[in-house]
Amino acid sequence: QAFTSENTDGLLSQAAREYVNHPRGVRIEDEDLVVSSIYDWFAADFGGNDPAVIAHLKRYAEPRLRGQLDRLSHISSHGYDWALNEAR
């Protein structure tokens, strides 16, 4: 779907919800918060520190994930699937 002035905010919000709620973006492993390295590389865009990034994540998280995020105060690890960039 093409971005237009009327649908841009909605499409960006939808994309953020989908990314945050996918394990590639955010996952909890043994009570540790693991997020995409994008949240590390561009931390300033999300508030510049762990609490601000977590607040961003909670804004878009589905209820189950949001409940898990409510119990966490820091990011334990960052990860990125470099295979996504692999040319075949």
Side-chain angles (χ1 to χ4, degrees), residues 3-85:
F3 282 83
T4 67
S5 60
E6 291 82 22
N7 71 9
T8 296
D9 287 339
L11 289 176
L12 290 174
S13 291
Q14 177 184 345
R17 277 191 306 278
E18 290 172 3
Y19 190 72
V20 165
N21 290 286
H22 189 282
R24 187 178 295 140
V26 178
R27 64 186 182 278
I28 310 292
E29 296 177 352
D30 299 322
E31 296 301 313
D32 288 332
L33 176 58
V34 179
V35 300
S36 168
S37 291
I38 289 170
Y39 292 110
D40 181 39
W41 300 332
F42 301 100
D45 295 333
F46 300 101
N49 57 41
D50 285 3
V53 171
I54 292 170
H56 164 80
L57 300 176
K58 290 189 327 189
R59 179 177 174 193
Y60 296 101
E62 296 294 332
R64 181 172 180 269
L65 177 58
R66 184 181 174 89
Q68 293 173 306
L69 292 170
D70 282 339
R71 297 190 305 269
L72 300 171
S73 60
H74 71 280
I75 297 169
S76 300
S77 181
H78 300 92
Y80 187 79
D81 183 358
W82 289 102
L84 297 171
N85 297 341

